Amino acid sequence: MSEPSTRNLWQRTYRAIKPDWVFGFLLLVSITMLIAENLDPEPVIAVDPLMKILALSGLTLVIAFVATYAAAMDRRKVEDYFFQLMINGAIVGIITTLFVNLAWDLLYGRLMGDDVIAVMLASWSLGYFFYRIRGLNK
């Protein structure tokens, strides 16, 4: 008897997880984050500007490299349709987050930390579901 290949195991696991469930969960997490962050906001910690620039630059480079590698690995293992759904949803999430942040900044001042992450998670989830319902080619 032959053992199942790792590709078949990955596909079965991926089908069990289903991106729909993951993005539905992310949408609920983002709503929870918005509520929790605004009920009991954390104090802002002062950071030396040079250290902040160095830390953010380093983190951005390292995490972008890891994310690029993970996306390439994910692309080889999943169906192209789900990958396109996730990518198009991510584009919607980034654009929405940028414009929500801009609008909030113009109206009320800076949008901080967990609020930005919550908006990004919610908009990515909504973008994913929009394309999932509507389709990629419409």
Side-chain angles (χ1 to χ4, degrees):
M1 229 187 245
S2 65
E3 294 183 28
S5 71
T6 56
R7 180 170 171 80
N8 290 336
L9 179 62
W10 174 258
Q11 286 176 338
R12 283 191 307 227
T13 304
Y14 191 76
R15 284 188 196 120
I17 294 172
K18 292 278 190 190
D20 294 355
W21 292 100
V22 173
F23 281 100
F25 177 72
L26 285 177
L27 185 58
L28 293 175
V29 166
S30 67
I31 292 167
T32 305
M33 284 176 67
L34 277 174
I35 293 168
E37 175 66 20
N38 291 296
L39 289 179
D40 186 24
E42 297 177 10
V44 177
I45 299 170
V47 179
D48 178 48
L50 180 59
M51 287 305 296
K52 183 177 181 180
I53 291 169
L54 291 174
L56 288 175
S57 298
L59 280 171
T60 301
L61 287 172
V62 169
I63 292 173
F65 176 76
V66 170
T68 301
Y69 178 76
M73 189 172 65
D74 193 35
R75 177 126 169 91
R76 288 191 302 262
K77 303 290 185 184
V78 300
E79 297 173 15
D80 191 48
Y81 177 72
F82 283 116
F83 189 77
Q84 290 296 320
L85 285 173
M86 289 187 288
I87 294 303
N88 287 336
I91 292 169
V92 169
I94 290 169
I95 292 169
T96 303
T97 302
L98 288 172
F99 281 104
V100 166
N101 194 17
L102 174 67
W104 191 268
D105 192 30
L106 292 173
L107 296 172
Y108 302 108
R110 295 180 62 194
L111 192 60
M112 303 289 284
D114 288 344
D115 290 333
V116 174
I117 293 171
V119 168
M120 181 168 280
L121 288 176
S123 58
W124 186 8
S125 297
L126 292 171
Y128 170 85
F129 284 119
F130 176 76
Y131 282 109
R132 180 81 163 114
I133 292 166
R134 180 180 155 262
L136 293 170
N137 296 326
K138 293 182 180 180

